Amino acid sequence: DAKTTQPPSMDCAEGRAANLPCNHSTISGNEYVYWYRQIHSQGPQYIIHGLKNNETNEMASLIITEDRKSSTLILPHATLRDTAVYYCIVRLYNFNKFYFGSGTKLNVKP
Amino acid sequence: GAVVSQHPSWVICKSGTSVKIECRSLDFQATTMFWYRQFPKQSLMLMATSNEGSKATYEQGVEKDKFLINHASLTLSTLTVTSAHPEDSSFYICSARDQVETEYFGPGTRLTVT
């Protein structure tokens, strides 16, 4: 079962930062937080993952709270192509499977 | 990032026939691959874990005799939907895990059973 809670949908203006929250209050100490997104009728695309430190790559930034009970994915300058369903998943490294929750449908508007 | 391919991208078959879907990791070796299915407007549901050289592990409620999985090499896993029925119509997605445990997904296969 999914161990995360995300808002079902969010809107964002093109060019602005998109901040997608995720609650994972039952996360254990050795579970990672992964973010994927799924554009309509395609397979999910890996975005970023982290354990406790904030992470940044060419696509996004991941901010994890100090108690690790929640995180935020930040797309710094959203474009129309970022419209997708974003999934936040927690998983033990080198062990467990992915169980997808409902995700957040991000609508980027011109 | 790493690339995972699926073939075919879409398939239409008649009820009672079997359909094979291939999943390949193109630029890395994957000892573990996964199969998911996704119904319209729903999230991905894990069906089974495919391990190279051993039997697949199925999630609860997934019929192993209906969804045959073979992981014959480090770059190829196949899913065969046997005796397909209209209720098996769905979007089937595979994924492969690389050496640093990042999971990459294929583009999906849309199966329609008439």
Side-chain angles (χ1 to χ4, degrees):
Chain A
D1 291 334
K3 296 176 61 176
T4 61
T5 304
Q6 299 176 254
S9 66
M10 293 182 63
D11 291 337
C12 177
E14 188 178 20
R16 303 296 294 270
N19 297 281
L20 293 95
C22 179
N23 182 288
H24 32 79
S25 58
T26 61
I27 193 171
S28 61
N30 50 358
E31 285 184 315
Y32 283 69
V33 179
Y34 287 79
W35 282 85
Y36 284 77
R37 70 181 183 184
Q38 186 178 26
I39 296 170
H40 183 63
S41 296
Q42 298 181 25
Q45 177 190 21
Y46 168 78
I47 302 174
I48 199 167
H49 74 281
L51 182 61
K52 57 178 72 173
N53 297 321
N54 297 337
E55 302 287 343
T56 295
N57 62 21
E58 64 278 6
M59 288 184 68
S61 294
L62 172 61
I63 308 298
I64 303 175
T65 57
E66 193 169 340
D67 63 7
R68 302 208 327 121
K69 292 185 177 182
S70 65
S71 61
T72 300
L73 178 74
I74 302 173
L75 307 179
H77 305 287
T79 70
L80 298 179
R81 289 182 295 179
D82 292 322
T83 292
V85 178
Y86 288 76
Y87 295 100
C88 166
I89 307 163
V90 296
R91 193 200 71 162
L92 284 169
Y93 189 81
N94 196 31
F95 184 67
N96 236 340
K97 315 160 193 175
F98 276 155
Y99 291 105
F100 283 77
S102 302
T104 295
K105 175 72 193 310
L106 176 67
N107 298 301
V108 181
K109 300 187 175 182
Chain B
V3 178
V4 176
S5 70
Q6 280 185 242
H7 178 81
S9 56
W10 59 271
V11 57
I12 301 173
C13 71
K14 291 187 176 182
S15 186
T17 62
S18 296
V19 174
K20 180 184 285 188
I21 303 170
E22 292 186 348
C23 175
R24 294 182 185 272
S25 56
L26 297 186
D27 49 3
F28 66 99
Q29 294 183 329
T31 55
T32 305
M33 291 183 171
F34 302 86
W35 287 95
Y36 299 79
R37 64 189 299 181
Q38 185 176 31
F39 292 107
K41 299 188 184 302
Q42 294 187 22
S43 187
L44 282 76
M45 183 185 75
L46 179 65
M47 298 176 65
T49 303
S50 170
N51 297 297
E52 188 267 336
S54 64
K55 290 184 178 181
T57 304
Y58 292 82
E59 294 297 301
Q60 190 172 8
V62 178
E63 300 175 59
K64 61 181 180 180
D65 294 331
K66 181 168 186 61
F67 299 100
L68 301 179
I69 292 173
N70 183 277
H71 194 154
S73 75
L74 288 173
T75 59
L76 173 65
S77 176
T78 60
L79 169 70
T80 301
V81 183
T82 62
S83 187
H85 289 95
E87 57 266 30
D88 299 322
S89 298
S90 188
F91 193 49
Y92 291 87
I93 306 170
C94 73
S95 69
R97 196 168 288 178
D98 69 6
Q99 287 77 2
V100 294
E101 296 297 310
T102 299
E103 194 163 329
Y104 295 96
F105 288 80
T109 297
R110 175 118 4 237
L111 170 63
T112 301
V113 184
T114 61

